[in-house]
Amino acid sequence: KKTNQNKSKDDSFISEGGSQWGYDLYPERCKKKVTTGISALFEGKGRENIDKIKCERNVYKCIKQSPIVKLMMGALKSSGCSMDIRRHISCEECAPTVSGGFDPILNQVVVCQNAVTDIGTVQSVLMHEMIHMFDYCRHNLNFKDLDHLACTEIRAANLAHCSFLAAWTQGDVSIFNIKGAHQICVKNKALSSILAARDVTKLEAVDAIERVFSKCYADLEPVGRRLRRNSEDMFKAYAEGYYYGYDNS
């Protein structure tokens, strides 16, 4: 796709946005017109301010109370990318197919206020997107490179989402297919994330995931472990962050 050579890299990224780079999933970021007035009330838009306030309160609670979110904050700070929650986290209305996102142009985590309504899900979204922010900060991640995108989605699924219970719920494992259940869950989650955000074929996404899977699945920074549900893993990871140089103060 040809672009104006005089445009900056960032402007080009945004202008090519649309479905190719995922900006169509976040109306406030692609400057789509939002319905207002009486018609807005009938379409449910009148709840936007209430949803935003609830979302921001849950984000604040996670920043103050969640050990895994605090660990990510410390890891980002120690990597030279300190987070200001007023600047780097934004509650917004999104397309119904997504619950959050990371905008590398503005270096912001997006929490979808219309889809994420409880503090547990907010914590999960923050953790997932902060993995992307960490990769972007520490490894100079290029989201236009499909292999880079696949790698960070693998890491986010590995560290923030997948467990045996999650794999079972998603249909990725049965009593006849226990071995490798976690890896199957990670691959499927990464695949769904790539397809939701980028205009690529399923085959292209699968090929990218397979190319980088071994290396990216083994990379557990900055958490240091795969978090099991209903365990003390989050608290242990937070407590151990100090030993790896992460500033959790």
Side-chain angles (χ1 to χ4, degrees):
K1 185 176 180 179
K2 295 181 179 180
T3 58
N4 187 337
Q5 296 298 316
N6 294 324
K7 289 183 180 180
S8 69
K9 180 180 177 181
D10 286 0
D11 285 343
S12 175
F13 187 97
I14 294 173
S15 66
E16 291 179 358
S19 60
Q20 185 174 9
W21 302 118
Y23 275 91
D24 60 322
L25 302 175
Y26 310 96
E28 294 183 27
R29 286 164 195 267
C30 63
K31 297 180 175 61
K32 285 188 176 181
K33 183 178 179 181
V34 178
T35 307
T36 59
I38 295 177
S39 60
L41 295 177
F42 281 105
E43 294 179 14
K45 302 295 183 182
R47 287 196 53 85
E48 285 182 8
N49 289 338
I50 296 174
D51 289 343
K52 190 177 189 69
I53 291 170
K54 288 181 178 179
C55 175
E56 290 176 345
R57 286 177 177 172
N58 282 332
V59 167
Y60 184 75
K61 288 179 182 177
C62 285
I63 295 295
K64 291 296 183 181
Q65 301 173 8
S66 168
I68 201 64
V69 173
K70 289 195 291 185
L71 171 66
M72 292 304 304
M73 294 279 288
L76 284 161
K77 182 179 179 180
S78 299
S79 300
C81 299
S82 295
M83 286 188 71
D84 181 336
I85 62 173
R86 296 167 297 180
R87 162 65 180 85
H88 295 109
I89 302 177
S90 178
C91 288
E92 299 176 11
E93 187 173 11
C94 312
T97 54
V98 292
S99 56
F102 173 63
D103 184 340
I105 302 304
L106 297 179
N107 194 28
Q108 281 186 330
V109 167
V110 178
V111 181
C112 297
Q113 63 196 39
N114 54 309
V116 182
T117 58
D118 64 274
I119 193 168
T121 312
V122 170
Q123 174 184 254
S124 179
V125 169
L126 287 175
M127 173 63 177
H128 184 114
E129 305 308 335
M130 289 168 82
I131 290 292
H132 296 329
M133 181 178 277
F134 179 84
D135 289 347
Y136 184 67
C137 167
R138 193 158 184 172
H139 303 298
N140 196 27
L141 194 71
N142 178 7
F143 281 90
K144 290 187 178 183
D145 186 315
L146 191 57
D147 283 10
H148 284 210
L149 176 61
C151 186
T152 194
E153 291 296 356
I154 288 167
R155 283 180 23 79
N158 189 15
L159 295 171
H161 287 282
C162 287
S163 65
F164 181 82
L165 179 61
W168 186 287
T169 303
Q170 293 168 194
D172 297 329
V173 64
S174 71
I175 57 174
F176 304 107
N177 181 30
I178 296 176
K179 186 177 180 180
H182 190 267
Q183 293 189 18
I184 294 171
C185 175
V186 170
K187 288 182 179 181
N188 285 346
K189 175 61 180 174
L191 177 62
S192 65
S193 294
I194 293 170
L195 294 179
R198 295 294 182 270
D199 185 16
V200 296
T201 67
K202 183 176 180 180
L203 180 59
E204 289 173 327
V206 169
D207 285 346
I209 290 169
E210 292 298 335
R211 282 194 298 268
V212 302
F213 187 80
S214 294
K215 178 180 178 180
C216 300
Y217 183 75
D219 183 359
L220 302 180
E221 290 292 333
V223 181
R225 66 182 69 223
R226 296 183 179 95
L227 303 176
R228 297 166 297 173
R229 294 194 180 188
N230 302 318
S231 73
E232 297 295 314
D233 286 350
M234 285 197 302
F235 298 94
K236 291 178 181 178
Y238 175 69
E240 293 168 357
Y242 172 81
Y243 298 105
Y244 296 95
Y246 299 135
D247 184 354
N248 293 337
S249 58

